[in-house]
Amino acid sequence: MRLSDTPLITADTIRKRTAELAKRISRDYAGKELLVIIVLKGGAFFGADLIRRLDLEVTVDFLRAKSYGKTRSTGAVDFLLLPDQPITDRHVLVVEDILDTGLTAQAILAHLAAAGPASVAVCALLDKPARRQTPIKGDYVAITIDNHFVVGYGLDCEERMRHLPDIWIAEEK
Ligand code: 5GP
Ligand code: MG
């Protein structure tokens, strides 16, 4: 595995797009309280930067999902950690690192919907629409990318490289 010679997305671009998205979210939820559920581990970095720019009453919680068999269309998802905040009648924003097949987001939305939230929206740092296997659409997407495997700013390659400030394309060697 080697990284592209230059970043696909720089930390500076991430910062700008995150600020724009935070403005939009703050406008859309003006006057409401927002329960932000950050999807671990990859969403932790973007989520932490995003929520600090929200001009809203915010409660933060976390969720961790493990998805199996991306090649199968069943896309079974296990929840390793669930939010402890009540969901019922709350405005919920799910924050993910990336929407790829959409199977993880779909399973998370189904799980949350069962608890009767006032509303649920999905926010993602990255979107790879070319890979989608579900009708899931990100309500708030910072950056749409082509079909590359990327690492950095939360995104890992076998748990490494999450800490990189920029986002890079990882290429098979
Ligand atoms: P989905 O269920 O949408 O197919 O996948 C979402 C998860 O797959 C992400 O949260 C992430 O962990 C992983 N993933 C999808 N695309 C990439 C990518 O390009 N790079 C990395 N590092 N992880 C990815
Ligand atoms: Mg991963």
Side-chain angles (χ1 to χ4, degrees):
M1 187 69 75
R2 60 181 287 277
L3 298 187
S4 43
D5 293 335
T6 55
L8 178 67
I9 308 162
T10 63
D12 191 47
T13 299
I14 296 169
R15 208 163 20 244
K16 285 181 187 144
R17 304 302 275 274
T18 302
E20 288 165 14
L21 213 51
K23 247 191 208 164
R24 250 184 75 204
I25 294 167
S26 299
R27 227 186 292 127
D28 290 356
Y29 290 90
K32 294 180 179 138
E33 276 192 48
L34 189 60
L35 172 59
V36 176
I37 299 181
I38 296 175
V39 181
L40 300 176
K41 298 176 188 176
F45 303 73
F46 169 56
D49 286 340
L50 179 79
I51 55 177
R52 283 178 287 179
R53 293 181 173 277
L54 293 177
D55 185 16
L56 295 168
E57 291 283 345
V58 168
T59 304
V60 188
D61 210 329
F62 299 92
L63 172 160
R64 193 164 163 213
K66 187 175 177 58
S67 59
Y68 298 93
K70 274 204 174 177
T71 46
R72 282 173 283 146
S73 56
T74 54
V77 171
D78 268 358
F79 292 101
L80 306 181
L81 175 74
L82 285 169
D84 58 29
Q85 287 298 297
I87 305 295
T88 310
D89 296 334
R90 310 280 293 275
H91 292 288
V92 178
L93 183 70
V94 177
V95 178
E96 287 215 75
D97 52 0
I98 186 165
L99 292 173
D100 186 31
T101 62
L103 291 168
T104 309
Q106 180 169 263
I108 291 170
L109 290 183
H111 182 89
L112 295 175
S119 69
V120 189
V122 175
C123 175
L125 168 67
L126 301 177
D127 189 7
K128 279 200 282 199
R131 295 251 312 161
R132 203 73 92 249
Q133 292 177 24
T134 61
I136 290 285
K137 267 191 65 206
D139 299 282
Y140 301 97
V141 170
I143 301 161
T144 299
I145 62 170
D146 292 334
N147 187 14
H148 304 293
F149 187 79
V150 293
V151 298
Y153 194 65
L155 292 136
D156 71 307
C157 179
E158 292 172 356
E159 295 301 329
R160 292 162 57 230
M161 298 192 242
R162 290 193 202 274
H163 66 293
L164 302 178
D166 306 297
I167 293 173
W168 304 76
I169 296 174
E171 293 152 352
E172 299 285 349
K173 243 211 312 215

mmCIF file of all heavy atoms in Angstrom, residues 49-96:
data_model
loop_
_atom_site.group_PDB
_atom_site.id
_atom_site.type_symbol
_atom_site.label_atom_id
_atom_site.label_comp_id
_atom_site.label_asym_id
_atom_site.label_seq_id
_atom_site.Cartn_x
_atom_site.Cartn_y
_atom_site.Cartn_z
ATOM 1 N N ASP A 49 -14.556 18.269 14.744
ATOM 2 C CA ASP A 49 -14.335 19.580 14.119
ATOM 3 C C ASP A 49 -15.660 20.239 13.746
ATOM 4 O O ASP A 49 -15.824 21.444 13.913
ATOM 5 C CB ASP A 49 -13.439 19.429 12.880
ATOM 6 C CG ASP A 49 -11.987 19.168 13.261
ATOM 7 O OD1 ASP A 49 -11.605 19.467 14.415
ATOM 8 O OD2 ASP A 49 -11.237 18.658 12.407
ATOM 9 N N LEU A 50 -16.603 19.435 13.256
ATOM 10 C CA LEU A 50 -17.902 19.978 12.832
ATOM 11 C C LEU A 50 -18.697 20.552 14.006
ATOM 12 O O LEU A 50 -19.182 21.684 13.945
ATOM 13 C CB LEU A 50 -18.724 18.872 12.148
ATOM 14 C CG LEU A 50 -20.114 19.278 11.677
ATOM 15 C CD1 LEU A 50 -20.024 20.060 10.362
ATOM 16 C CD2 LEU A 50 -21.021 18.063 11.507
ATOM 17 N N ILE A 51 -18.813 19.796 15.086
ATOM 18 C CA ILE A 51 -19.704 20.237 16.173
ATOM 19 C C ILE A 51 -19.187 21.504 16.839
ATOM 20 O O ILE A 51 -19.972 22.301 17.343
ATOM 21 C CB ILE A 51 -19.955 19.143 17.242
ATOM 22 C CG1 ILE A 51 -18.650 18.623 17.821
ATOM 23 C CG2 ILE A 51 -20.813 18.027 16.669
ATOM 24 C CD1 ILE A 51 -18.853 17.594 18.930
ATOM 25 N N ARG A 52 -17.878 21.713 16.800
ATOM 26 C CA ARG A 52 -17.347 22.929 17.418
ATOM 27 C C ARG A 52 -17.669 24.172 16.609
ATOM 28 O O ARG A 52 -17.448 25.285 17.054
ATOM 29 C CB ARG A 52 -15.837 22.795 17.646
ATOM 30 C CG ARG A 52 -15.573 21.900 18.865
ATOM 31 C CD ARG A 52 -14.112 21.706 19.112
ATOM 32 N NE ARG A 52 -13.537 20.809 18.120
ATOM 33 C CZ ARG A 52 -12.249 20.480 18.090
ATOM 34 N NH1 ARG A 52 -11.422 20.997 18.971
ATOM 35 N NH2 ARG A 52 -11.807 19.642 17.183
ATOM 36 N N ARG A 53 -18.195 23.984 15.404
ATOM 37 C CA ARG A 53 -18.587 25.122 14.574
ATOM 38 C C ARG A 53 -20.101 25.303 14.519
ATOM 39 O O ARG A 53 -20.591 26.193 13.819
ATOM 40 C CB ARG A 53 -18.056 24.941 13.153
ATOM 41 C CG ARG A 53 -16.547 25.010 13.077
ATOM 42 C CD ARG A 53 -16.100 24.852 11.643
ATOM 43 N NE ARG A 53 -14.680 25.065 11.477
ATOM 44 C CZ ARG A 53 -14.098 26.253 11.345
ATOM 45 N NH1 ARG A 53 -14.834 27.352 11.344
ATOM 46 N NH2 ARG A 53 -12.807 26.352 11.200
ATOM 47 N N LEU A 54 -20.865 24.458 15.212
ATOM 48 C CA LEU A 54 -22.321 24.570 15.174
ATOM 49 C C LEU A 54 -22.792 25.644 16.134
ATOM 50 O O LEU A 54 -22.370 25.675 17.300
ATOM 51 C CB LEU A 54 -22.975 23.226 15.531
ATOM 52 C CG LEU A 54 -22.774 22.095 14.529
ATOM 53 C CD1 LEU A 54 -23.413 20.808 15.045
ATOM 54 C CD2 LEU A 54 -23.321 22.462 13.154
ATOM 55 N N ASP A 55 -23.663 26.494 15.635
ATOM 56 C CA ASP A 55 -24.215 27.562 16.448
ATOM 57 C C ASP A 55 -25.616 27.123 16.893
ATOM 58 O O ASP A 55 -26.628 27.663 16.444
ATOM 59 C CB ASP A 55 -24.260 28.840 15.592
ATOM 60 C CG ASP A 55 -24.709 30.040 16.393
ATOM 61 O OD1 ASP A 55 -24.696 29.965 17.638
ATOM 62 O OD2 ASP A 55 -25.092 31.040 15.769
ATOM 63 N N LEU A 56 -25.661 26.086 17.723
ATOM 64 C CA LEU A 56 -26.913 25.444 18.142
ATOM 65 C C LEU A 56 -26.730 24.864 19.535
ATOM 66 O O LEU A 56 -25.602 24.689 19.989
ATOM 67 C CB LEU A 56 -27.240 24.251 17.216
ATOM 68 C CG LEU A 56 -27.546 24.468 15.753
ATOM 69 C CD1 LEU A 56 -27.529 23.136 15.026
ATOM 70 C CD2 LEU A 56 -28.896 25.163 15.589
ATOM 71 N N GLU A 57 -27.865 24.491 20.173
ATOM 72 C CA GLU A 57 -27.791 23.664 21.384
ATOM 73 C C GLU A 57 -27.500 22.245 20.927
ATOM 74 O O GLU A 57 -28.300 21.653 20.199
ATOM 75 C CB GLU A 57 -29.130 23.676 22.123
ATOM 76 C CG GLU A 57 -29.495 24.991 22.755
ATOM 77 C CD GLU A 57 -28.734 25.247 24.055
ATOM 78 O OE1 GLU A 57 -28.155 24.287 24.603
ATOM 79 O OE2 GLU A 57 -28.722 26.401 24.491
ATOM 80 N N VAL A 58 -26.349 21.719 21.302
ATOM 81 C CA VAL A 58 -25.932 20.409 20.795
ATOM 82 C C VAL A 58 -25.681 19.437 21.940
ATOM 83 O O VAL A 58 -25.084 19.795 22.954
ATOM 84 C CB VAL A 58 -24.645 20.550 19.942
ATOM 85 C CG1 VAL A 58 -24.033 19.183 19.653
ATOM 86 C CG2 VAL A 58 -24.940 21.269 18.630
ATOM 87 N N THR A 59 -26.169 18.214 21.782
ATOM 88 C CA THR A 59 -25.780 17.105 22.643
ATOM 89 C C THR A 59 -25.017 16.126 21.759
ATOM 90 O O THR A 59 -25.430 15.876 20.626
ATOM 91 C CB THR A 59 -27.026 16.401 23.228
ATOM 92 O OG1 THR A 59 -27.819 17.362 23.908
ATOM 93 C CG2 THR A 59 -26.635 15.299 24.198
ATOM 94 N N VAL A 60 -23.909 15.609 22.266
ATOM 95 C CA VAL A 60 -23.095 14.702 21.457
ATOM 96 C C VAL A 60 -23.150 13.294 22.030
ATOM 97 O O VAL A 60 -23.066 13.104 23.250
ATOM 98 C CB VAL A 60 -21.615 15.137 21.448
ATOM 99 C CG1 VAL A 60 -20.836 14.283 20.446
ATOM 100 C CG2 VAL A 60 -21.484 16.588 21.105
ATOM 101 N N ASP A 61 -23.309 12.337 21.148
ATOM 102 C CA ASP A 61 -23.205 10.947 21.564
ATOM 103 C C ASP A 61 -22.468 10.172 20.476
ATOM 104 O O ASP A 61 -22.132 10.742 19.427
ATOM 105 C CB ASP A 61 -24.594 10.369 21.843
ATOM 106 C CG ASP A 61 -24.551 9.280 22.916
ATOM 107 O OD1 ASP A 61 -23.520 8.584 23.013
ATOM 108 O OD2 ASP A 61 -25.549 9.119 23.638
ATOM 109 N N PHE A 62 -22.232 8.902 20.735
ATOM 110 C CA PHE A 62 -21.409 8.110 19.827
ATOM 111 C C PHE A 62 -22.057 6.765 19.562
ATOM 112 O O PHE A 62 -22.846 6.260 20.373
ATOM 113 C CB PHE A 62 -20.020 7.899 20.440
ATOM 114 C CG PHE A 62 -19.293 9.176 20.688
ATOM 115 C CD1 PHE A 62 -19.386 9.822 21.913
ATOM 116 C CD2 PHE A 62 -18.536 9.761 19.688
ATOM 117 C CE1 PHE A 62 -18.735 11.023 22.146
ATOM 118 C CE2 PHE A 62 -17.880 10.970 19.904
ATOM 119 C CZ PHE A 62 -17.980 11.591 21.140
ATOM 120 N N LEU A 63 -21.672 6.204 18.436
ATOM 121 C CA LEU A 63 -22.175 4.890 18.044
ATOM 122 C C LEU A 63 -21.031 4.210 17.304
ATOM 123 O O LEU A 63 -20.214 4.873 16.668
ATOM 124 C CB LEU A 63 -23.363 5.143 17.133
ATOM 125 C CG LEU A 63 -24.086 4.080 16.353
ATOM 126 C CD1 LEU A 63 -25.463 4.623 15.995
ATOM 127 C CD2 LEU A 63 -23.375 3.700 15.103
ATOM 128 N N ARG A 64 -20.944 2.902 17.456
ATOM 129 C CA ARG A 64 -19.928 2.191 16.685
ATOM 130 C C ARG A 64 -20.578 1.005 16.008
ATOM 131 O O ARG A 64 -21.270 0.213 16.650
ATOM 132 C CB ARG A 64 -18.795 1.731 17.608
ATOM 133 C CG ARG A 64 -17.613 1.291 16.810
ATOM 134 C CD ARG A 64 -16.356 1.203 17.636
ATOM 135 N NE ARG A 64 -15.419 0.409 16.881
ATOM 136 C CZ ARG A 64 -14.529 -0.399 17.406
ATOM 137 N NH1 ARG A 64 -14.432 -0.503 18.719
ATOM 138 N NH2 ARG A 64 -13.739 -1.089 16.624
ATOM 139 N N ALA A 65 -20.393 0.934 14.703
ATOM 140 C CA ALA A 65 -21.014 -0.133 13.917
ATOM 141 C C ALA A 65 -19.941 -0.901 13.182
ATOM 142 O O ALA A 65 -18.958 -0.334 12.726
ATOM 143 C CB ALA A 65 -21.999 0.474 12.924
ATOM 144 N N LYS A 66 -20.120 -2.186 13.097
ATOM 145 C CA LYS A 66 -19.195 -3.001 12.335
ATOM 146 C C LYS A 66 -20.000 -3.662 11.226
ATOM 147 O O LYS A 66 -21.003 -4.309 11.476
ATOM 148 C CB LYS A 66 -18.578 -4.058 13.243
ATOM 149 C CG LYS A 66 -17.477 -4.847 12.579
ATOM 150 C CD LYS A 66 -16.828 -5.800 13.584
ATOM 151 C CE LYS A 66 -15.773 -6.665 12.927
ATOM 152 N NZ LYS A 66 -14.708 -5.899 12.286
ATOM 153 N N SER A 67 -19.555 -3.449 9.992
ATOM 154 C CA SER A 67 -20.309 -4.043 8.884
ATOM 155 C C SER A 67 -19.550 -5.243 8.326
ATOM 156 O O SER A 67 -18.333 -5.274 8.305
ATOM 157 C CB SER A 67 -20.574 -3.017 7.787
ATOM 158 O OG SER A 67 -19.368 -2.509 7.300
ATOM 159 N N TYR A 68 -20.320 -6.212 7.905
ATOM 160 C CA TYR A 68 -19.743 -7.449 7.363
ATOM 161 C C TYR A 68 -20.118 -7.598 5.908
ATOM 162 O O TYR A 68 -21.164 -7.145 5.480
ATOM 163 C CB TYR A 68 -20.298 -8.663 8.124
ATOM 164 C CG TYR A 68 -19.940 -8.649 9.566
ATOM 165 C CD1 TYR A 68 -20.794 -8.083 10.490
ATOM 166 C CD2 TYR A 68 -18.730 -9.189 9.988
ATOM 167 C CE1 TYR A 68 -20.466 -8.051 11.826
ATOM 168 C CE2 TYR A 68 -18.395 -9.166 11.318
ATOM 169 C CZ TYR A 68 -19.266 -8.596 12.233
ATOM 170 O OH TYR A 68 -18.931 -8.558 13.551
ATOM 171 N N GLY A 69 -19.260 -8.263 5.184
ATOM 172 C CA GLY A 69 -19.583 -8.717 3.835
ATOM 173 C C GLY A 69 -20.097 -7.629 2.927
ATOM 174 O O GLY A 69 -21.237 -7.652 2.475
ATOM 175 N N LYS A 70 -19.221 -6.655 2.646
ATOM 176 C CA LYS A 70 -19.612 -5.578 1.747
ATOM 177 C C LYS A 70 -19.910 -6.096 0.355
ATOM 178 O O LYS A 70 -20.595 -5.445 -0.413
ATOM 179 C CB LYS A 70 -18.470 -4.577 1.648
ATOM 180 C CG LYS A 70 -18.508 -3.557 2.731
ATOM 181 C CD LYS A 70 -17.788 -2.348 2.263
ATOM 182 C CE LYS A 70 -17.934 -1.250 3.277
ATOM 183 N NZ LYS A 70 -17.178 -0.080 2.875
ATOM 184 N N THR A 71 -19.349 -7.269 0.044
ATOM 185 C CA THR A 71 -19.556 -7.833 -1.293
ATOM 186 C C THR A 71 -20.961 -8.418 -1.393
ATOM 187 O O THR A 71 -21.560 -8.435 -2.450
ATOM 188 C CB THR A 71 -18.503 -8.915 -1.595
ATOM 189 O OG1 THR A 71 -18.402 -9.772 -0.459
ATOM 190 C CG2 THR A 71 -17.159 -8.290 -1.869
ATOM 191 N N ARG A 72 -21.488 -8.859 -0.231
ATOM 192 C CA ARG A 72 -22.876 -9.347 -0.232
ATOM 193 C C ARG A 72 -23.809 -8.154 -0.090
ATOM 194 O O ARG A 72 -23.497 -7.199 0.613
ATOM 195 C CB ARG A 72 -23.101 -10.304 0.950
ATOM 196 C CG ARG A 72 -22.538 -11.690 0.711
ATOM 197 C CD ARG A 72 -22.652 -12.521 1.973
ATOM 198 N NE ARG A 72 -21.633 -12.167 2.938
ATOM 199 C CZ ARG A 72 -21.813 -12.184 4.252
ATOM 200 N NH1 ARG A 72 -22.973 -12.513 4.760
ATOM 201 N NH2 ARG A 72 -20.826 -11.861 5.055
ATOM 202 N N SER A 73 -24.950 -8.234 -0.700
ATOM 203 C CA SER A 73 -25.841 -7.075 -0.655
ATOM 204 C C SER A 73 -26.665 -7.053 0.635
ATOM 205 O O SER A 73 -27.384 -6.103 0.891
ATOM 206 C CB SER A 73 -26.760 -7.067 -1.877
ATOM 207 O OG SER A 73 -27.459 -8.286 -1.940
ATOM 208 N N THR A 74 -26.547 -8.122 1.448
ATOM 209 C CA THR A 74 -27.274 -8.131 2.717
ATOM 210 C C THR A 74 -26.710 -7.078 3.661
ATOM 211 O O THR A 74 -27.454 -6.412 4.356
ATOM 212 C CB THR A 74 -27.167 -9.505 3.409
ATOM 213 O OG1 THR A 74 -25.788 -9.839 3.523
ATOM 214 C CG2 THR A 74 -27.886 -10.569 2.636
ATOM 215 N N GLY A 75 -25.382 -6.925 3.671
ATOM 216 C CA GLY A 75 -24.728 -5.895 4.461
ATOM 217 C C GLY A 75 -25.090 -5.922 5.930
ATOM 218 O O GLY A 75 -25.545 -4.935 6.496
ATOM 219 N N ALA A 76 -24.884 -7.073 6.579
ATOM 220 C CA ALA A 76 -25.174 -7.205 8.005
ATOM 221 C C ALA A 76 -24.309 -6.232 8.809
ATOM 222 O O ALA A 76 -23.121 -6.074 8.534
ATOM 223 C CB ALA A 76 -24.898 -8.630 8.454
ATOM 224 N N VAL A 77 -24.928 -5.558 9.764
ATOM 225 C CA VAL A 77 -24.209 -4.593 10.600
ATOM 226 C C VAL A 77 -24.439 -4.929 12.069
ATOM 227 O O VAL A 77 -25.579 -5.134 12.487
ATOM 228 C CB VAL A 77 -24.682 -3.154 10.289
ATOM 229 C CG1 VAL A 77 -24.122 -2.161 11.296
ATOM 230 C CG2 VAL A 77 -24.285 -2.752 8.881
ATOM 231 N N ASP A 78 -23.346 -5.003 12.826
ATOM 232 C CA ASP A 78 -23.415 -5.195 14.278
ATOM 233 C C ASP A 78 -23.171 -3.863 14.953
ATOM 234 O O ASP A 78 -22.299 -3.115 14.528
ATOM 235 C CB ASP A 78 -22.295 -6.141 14.744
ATOM 236 C CG ASP A 78 -22.751 -7.582 14.767
ATOM 237 O OD1 ASP A 78 -23.932 -7.836 14.472
ATOM 238 O OD2 ASP A 78 -21.915 -8.447 15.077
ATOM 239 N N PHE A 79 -23.891 -3.589 16.047
ATOM 240 C CA PHE A 79 -23.623 -2.374 16.808
ATOM 241 C C PHE A 79 -22.744 -2.713 17.995
ATOM 242 O O PHE A 79 -23.132 -3.497 18.858
ATOM 243 C CB PHE A 79 -24.935 -1.720 17.236
ATOM 244 C CG PHE A 79 -25.711 -1.179 16.078
ATOM 245 C CD1 PHE A 79 -26.784 -1.870 15.548
ATOM 246 C CD2 PHE A 79 -25.324 0.016 15.476
ATOM 247 C CE1 PHE A 79 -27.478 -1.385 14.451
ATOM 248 C CE2 PHE A 79 -26.016 0.510 14.375
ATOM 249 C CZ PHE A 79 -27.093 -0.193 13.854
ATOM 250 N N LEU A 80 -21.541 -2.160 18.023
ATOM 251 C CA LEU A 80 -20.593 -2.432 19.103
ATOM 252 C C LEU A 80 -20.768 -1.423 20.234
ATOM 253 O O LEU A 80 -20.345 -1.664 21.349
ATOM 254 C CB LEU A 80 -19.147 -2.377 18.585
ATOM 255 C CG LEU A 80 -18.835 -3.281 17.383
ATOM 256 C CD1 LEU A 80 -17.372 -3.161 16.988
ATOM 257 C CD2 LEU A 80 -19.180 -4.733 17.693
ATOM 258 N N LEU A 81 -21.345 -0.281 19.908
ATOM 259 C CA LEU A 81 -21.635 0.753 20.908
ATOM 260 C C LEU A 81 -22.862 1.508 20.440
ATOM 261 O O LEU A 81 -22.949 1.877 19.273
ATOM 262 C CB LEU A 81 -20.451 1.728 21.021
ATOM 263 C CG LEU A 81 -20.667 2.925 21.949
ATOM 264 C CD1 LEU A 81 -20.603 2.508 23.413
ATOM 265 C CD2 LEU A 81 -19.639 4.017 21.676
ATOM 266 N N LEU A 82 -23.804 1.730 21.359
ATOM 267 C CA LEU A 82 -25.006 2.484 21.010
ATOM 268 C C LEU A 82 -25.078 3.746 21.849
ATOM 269 O O LEU A 82 -24.531 3.796 22.948
ATOM 270 C CB LEU A 82 -26.248 1.620 21.240
ATOM 271 C CG LEU A 82 -26.471 0.542 20.171
ATOM 272 C CD1 LEU A 82 -27.552 -0.443 20.599
ATOM 273 C CD2 LEU A 82 -26.811 1.177 18.827
ATOM 274 N N PRO A 83 -25.739 4.792 21.339
ATOM 275 C CA PRO A 83 -25.858 6.037 22.108
ATOM 276 C C PRO A 83 -26.600 5.778 23.418
ATOM 277 O O PRO A 83 -27.515 4.947 23.456
ATOM 278 C CB PRO A 83 -26.705 6.927 21.204
ATOM 279 C CG PRO A 83 -26.727 6.289 19.872
ATOM 280 C CD PRO A 83 -26.442 4.848 20.054
ATOM 281 N N ASP A 84 -26.228 6.470 24.487
ATOM 282 C CA ASP A 84 -27.009 6.319 25.715
ATOM 283 C C ASP A 84 -28.044 7.430 25.854
ATOM 284 O O ASP A 84 -28.913 7.375 26.707
ATOM 285 C CB ASP A 84 -26.119 6.195 26.956
ATOM 286 C CG ASP A 84 -25.196 7.376 27.141
ATOM 287 O OD1 ASP A 84 -25.554 8.495 26.709
ATOM 288 O OD2 ASP A 84 -24.106 7.188 27.715
ATOM 289 N N GLN A 85 -27.974 8.432 24.979
ATOM 290 C CA GLN A 85 -28.965 9.511 24.995
ATOM 291 C C GLN A 85 -30.280 9.009 24.420
ATOM 292 O O GLN A 85 -30.281 8.250 23.454
ATOM 293 C CB GLN A 85 -28.477 10.677 24.130
ATOM 294 C CG GLN A 85 -27.358 11.463 24.753
ATOM 295 C CD GLN A 85 -27.798 12.089 26.044
ATOM 296 O OE1 GLN A 85 -28.695 12.932 26.061
ATOM 297 N NE2 GLN A 85 -27.195 11.671 27.138
ATOM 298 N N PRO A 86 -31.417 9.445 25.007
ATOM 299 C CA PRO A 86 -32.705 9.077 24.409
ATOM 300 C C PRO A 86 -32.833 9.660 22.998
ATOM 301 O O PRO A 86 -32.350 10.764 22.741
ATOM 302 C CB PRO A 86 -33.735 9.690 25.356
ATOM 303 C CG PRO A 86 -32.993 10.586 26.273
ATOM 304 C CD PRO A 86 -31.547 10.268 26.214
ATOM 305 N N ILE A 87 -33.465 8.898 22.123
ATOM 306 C CA ILE A 87 -33.606 9.279 20.712
ATOM 307 C C ILE A 87 -35.017 9.818 20.433
ATOM 308 O O ILE A 87 -35.205 10.685 19.585
ATOM 309 C CB ILE A 87 -33.379 8.027 19.807
ATOM 310 C CG1 ILE A 87 -32.019 7.366 20.106
ATOM 311 C CG2 ILE A 87 -33.541 8.367 18.334
ATOM 312 C CD1 ILE A 87 -30.829 8.210 19.769
ATOM 313 N N THR A 88 -35.987 9.268 21.172
ATOM 314 C CA THR A 88 -37.393 9.585 20.924
ATOM 315 C C THR A 88 -37.644 11.095 20.945
ATOM 316 O O THR A 88 -37.224 11.781 21.887
ATOM 317 C CB THR A 88 -38.274 8.890 21.990
ATOM 318 O OG1 THR A 88 -37.899 7.517 22.044
ATOM 319 C CG2 THR A 88 -39.760 8.999 21.651
ATOM 320 N N ASP A 89 -38.305 11.586 19.889
ATOM 321 C CA ASP A 89 -38.682 12.997 19.736
ATOM 322 C C ASP A 89 -37.499 13.963 19.621
ATOM 323 O O ASP A 89 -37.689 15.173 19.732
ATOM 324 C CB ASP A 89 -39.600 13.445 20.897
ATOM 325 C CG ASP A 89 -40.923 12.699 20.898
ATOM 326 O OD1 ASP A 89 -41.341 12.234 19.810
ATOM 327 O OD2 ASP A 89 -41.538 12.556 21.974
ATOM 328 N N ARG A 90 -36.311 13.442 19.409
ATOM 329 C CA ARG A 90 -35.145 14.345 19.255
ATOM 330 C C ARG A 90 -34.852 14.553 17.769
ATOM 331 O O ARG A 90 -35.140 13.690 16.936
ATOM 332 C CB ARG A 90 -33.886 13.718 19.892
ATOM 333 C CG ARG A 90 -34.072 13.218 21.314
ATOM 334 C CD ARG A 90 -33.999 14.314 22.330
ATOM 335 N NE ARG A 90 -32.697 14.942 22.471
ATOM 336 C CZ ARG A 90 -31.710 14.482 23.236
ATOM 337 N NH1 ARG A 90 -31.830 13.344 23.886
ATOM 338 N NH2 ARG A 90 -30.583 15.161 23.362
ATOM 339 N N HIS A 91 -34.217 15.677 17.460
ATOM 340 C CA HIS A 91 -33.675 15.899 16.115
ATOM 341 C C HIS A 91 -32.268 15.321 16.104
ATOM 342 O O HIS A 91 -31.397 15.780 16.857
ATOM 343 C CB HIS A 91 -33.664 17.388 15.776
ATOM 344 C CG HIS A 91 -35.044 17.956 15.625
ATOM 345 N ND1 HIS A 91 -35.840 17.667 14.541
ATOM 346 C CD2 HIS A 91 -35.775 18.747 16.450
ATOM 347 C CE1 HIS A 91 -37.006 18.282 14.682
ATOM 348 N NE2 HIS A 91 -36.995 18.943 15.841
ATOM 349 N N VAL A 92 -32.078 14.299 15.283
ATOM 350 C CA VAL A 92 -30.817 13.547 15.308
ATOM 351 C C VAL A 92 -30.029 13.792 14.020
ATOM 352 O O VAL A 92 -30.587 13.726 12.915
ATOM 353 C CB VAL A 92 -31.102 12.027 15.451
ATOM 354 C CG1 VAL A 92 -29.802 11.236 15.429
ATOM 355 C CG2 VAL A 92 -31.887 11.747 16.738
ATOM 356 N N LEU A 93 -28.739 14.050 14.182
ATOM 357 C CA LEU A 93 -27.831 14.155 13.033
ATOM 358 C C LEU A 93 -26.749 13.093 13.194
ATOM 359 O O LEU A 93 -25.987 13.109 14.162
ATOM 360 C CB LEU A 93 -27.194 15.550 12.972
ATOM 361 C CG LEU A 93 -26.282 15.798 11.772
ATOM 362 C CD1 LEU A 93 -27.090 15.870 10.469
ATOM 363 C CD2 LEU A 93 -25.484 17.087 11.962
ATOM 364 N N VAL A 94 -26.711 12.162 12.256
ATOM 365 C CA VAL A 94 -25.711 11.091 12.280
ATOM 366 C C VAL A 94 -24.494 11.566 11.487
ATOM 367 O O VAL A 94 -24.632 11.990 10.342
ATOM 368 C CB VAL A 94 -26.273 9.800 11.633
ATOM 369 C CG1 VAL A 94 -25.222 8.705 11.588
ATOM 370 C CG2 VAL A 94 -27.520 9.336 12.391
ATOM 371 N N VAL A 95 -23.320 11.522 12.109
ATOM 372 C CA VAL A 95 -22.104 12.009 11.437
ATOM 373 C C VAL A 95 -21.166 10.849 11.128
ATOM 374 O O VAL A 95 -20.703 10.156 12.037
ATOM 375 C CB VAL A 95 -21.375 13.063 12.302
ATOM 376 C CG1 VAL A 95 -20.090 13.513 11.614
ATOM 377 C CG2 VAL A 95 -22.282 14.261 12.555
ATOM 378 N N GLU A 96 -20.902 10.660 9.834
ATOM 379 C CA GLU A 96 -20.051 9.563 9.364
ATOM 380 C C GLU A 96 -18.823 10.081 8.640
ATOM 381 O O GLU A 96 -18.839 11.191 8.103
ATOM 382 C CB GLU A 96 -20.844 8.709 8.377
ATOM 383 C CG GLU A 96 -21.903 7.856 9.024
ATOM 384 C CD GLU A 96 -22.019 6.538 8.281
ATOM 385 O OE1 GLU A 96 -21.132 5.683 8.441
ATOM 386 O OE2 GLU A 96 -22.985 6.389 7.523
#
